[in-house]
Amino acid sequence: MTQSPPTAFDNADMTWPPPPYQPPVPPVTAADGVRRFDGITYATTPGYRPRLLDVQVPAGEGPFPAVVWIHGGGWLDGDRRYPPPTVPAALLHGTVLAAGLALVSIDYRHSLEAPFPAQLHDVKAAIRYVRAFAGDLGIDPERIGVWGESAGGHLAALAGLVGPADGTDGADGPDCVALEGTQGVGSGETGVLAVVDWYGVSDLVALASHPMPPMPSGVEFPDPYEALLGASVTERPDLARAASPVTYAEGSTPPPPFLLVHGTRDGLVPYSQSEVLAAALKGVGGEVTLQPVDGADHIFLGSPDIASIVEESVAFLARHLGAGA
C-alpha cells in the first residue's frame, strides 16, 4: 500500500515547509573591528526569492542604534549592496559606521515579482527581524531609523508613517489594504524613530500627470507606477492613495522626525513631491526638514558635493537615534 508523504517534517538535515526566516550566522570581524553579517534571510515566501539583509556593526561593545537602508530602482530594480552610482558605497557605509550607527541594508520584492504592498511588507518584516534578533546583532531594538533613496525613500516614508491600524479595515485604512504584513517574523513592533527620504515619491495620484523621461531608442522599461500598483493610477486610484505617504501624515500623531533631501531639478520625481510631504507633516505638528539640492537632478546628478549630503543625513540620524549615548 502506498502511503502519502508527510505534510511536515523536521530533522537534523531539513525542515519542511521551509522556515519563514533564518537566524543570523556568526559575523565576520574585520581588522578595524567592524562586524559583518552578510546575506541573512529575513523573510521567505513560496515562489519568491528569499529576502536578504546585510548588517554592519561598529567596533565596540554596543548595543548600537541602527539605520535600515532601502535601495532605489523604481521598485523594479536595485540591490541592497549598491547605493546609487553618484554615492560611493564606501562613503555611505563608512559615514554611518563612523557615527556609531549600525547599518542594515535590505532587499525587497520588486514590483514585477509582487505589486504593492509587498514592498512595504518586506520593509516591515526587516524591521521586525532586526528587533527580534537585536541581541545577536549587537543592535539596540529601541533605536531604529530608516533611510532610503528614490523608491527606497518612498518606502522609508511609508515605514515611518504607517502603523498597525492602517489598512486593516475600511475605517482605519484606505480600501482595506493590509499594510503591516506578516512576512518573516510575523508580528512585532515596526515603528521607527527617524526617517531620511532622498527624493522619494509622496503622492502617486498627483504624480500620475507627470510625464516619464523618454527612454533611449530600443530600450523597453515598464512604467514604474503601473508596475508597482499592478494597474494604472486611473484604474486604481484607491491603491495609489494607499501607496502614498501623504495619505498617512494626518493619522500619525506624532510622526517621527523627517529629513527630506531632493534635487530642485529632478526630472524623474519632481521636487514638489517632497514639498507636499513636508507640508503635510508640518500640518500635523511634525518635525520635518526639507533640504533642497540646488540644480541637482535625480540621484543628485549635478551636485558638486555628495559627501556633505551624506554627512548631513547621517548626522540627522545620529542625533535622533542617540548615537554615542
Side-chain angles (χ1 to χ4, degrees), residues 177-200:
V177 178
L179 298 176
E180 197 72 12
T182 57
Q183 301 291 314
V185 177
S187 63
E189 173 60 40
T190 61
V192 297
L193 295 185
V195 178
V196 175
D197 172 357
W198 280 3
Y199 45 86

Side-chain angles (χ1 to χ4, degrees), residues 146-167:
V146 288
W147 179 6
E149 61 96 15
S150 197
H154 161 261
L155 294 172
L158 284 175
L161 294 173
V162 169
D166 292 305

Side-chain angles (χ1 to χ4, degrees), residues 246-270:
V246 292
T247 300
Y248 308 98
E250 185 174 349
S252 56
T253 51
F258 268 70
L259 172 63
L260 308 173
V261 190
H262 209 133
T264 59
R265 299 188 65 181
D266 193 323
L268 186 61
V269 178

Side-chain angles (χ1 to χ4, degrees), residues 108-190:
Y108 53 87
R109 282 171 289 177
H110 293 155
S111 56
L112 293 184
E113 294 179 89
F116 184 85
Q119 298 71 33
L120 180 57
H121 287 174
D122 290 348
V123 172
K124 293 278 190 173
I127 295 169
R128 287 195 296 268
Y129 184 96
V130 170
R131 283 208 165 97
F133 290 99
D136 300 288
L137 299 171
I139 286 173
D140 184 343
E142 302 302 320
R143 295 189 290 166
I144 296 176
V146 288
W147 179 6
E149 61 96 15
S150 197
H154 161 261
L155 294 172
L158 284 175
L161 294 173
V162 169
D166 292 305
T168 55
D169 57 53
D172 294 329
D175 310 294
C176 302
V177 178
L179 298 176
E180 197 72 12
T182 57
Q183 301 291 314
V185 177
S187 63
E189 173 60 40
T190 61

Side-chain angles (χ1 to χ4, degrees), residues 16 25 38 45 74 78 90 117 140 191 209 220 222 225 232 240 249 256 261 275 290 316 324:
W16 191 263
V25 297
D38 290 330
T45 305
D140 184 343
S209 61
E220 294 186 7
Y225 308 111
S232 69
V261 190
E275 290 181 308
L290 175 56
F316 172 89

Side-chain angles (χ1 to χ4, degrees), residues 17-157:
Y21 55 85
Q22 296 286 346
V25 297
V28 174
T29 303
D32 60 3
V34 171
R35 285 168 289 150
R36 294 185 60 101
F37 302 80
D38 290 330
I40 298 173
T41 299
Y42 74 85
T44 63
T45 305
Y48 297 93
R49 61 192 167 101
R51 268 82 79 207
L52 306 180
L53 60 78
D54 300 334
V55 181
Q56 299 180 65
V57 184
E61 290 299 319
F64 296 94
V67 178
V68 175
W69 167 262
I70 311 170
H71 70 76
W75 309 282
L76 287 158
D77 199 1
D79 187 310
R80 71 187 187 279
R81 298 168 295 178
Y82 308 117
T86 49
V87 182
L91 171 66
L92 182 74
H93 298 179
T95 307
V96 170
L97 293 166
L101 300 167
L103 179 65
V104 180
S105 305
I106 71 169
D107 282 333
Y108 53 87
R109 282 171 289 177
H110 293 155
S111 56
L112 293 184
E113 294 179 89
F116 184 85
Q119 298 71 33
L120 180 57
H121 287 174
D122 290 348
V123 172
K124 293 278 190 173
I127 295 169
R128 287 195 296 268
Y129 184 96
V130 170
R131 283 208 165 97
F133 290 99
D136 300 288
L137 299 171
I139 286 173
D140 184 343
E142 302 302 320
R143 295 189 290 166
I144 296 176
V146 288
W147 179 6
E149 61 96 15
S150 197
H154 161 261
L155 294 172

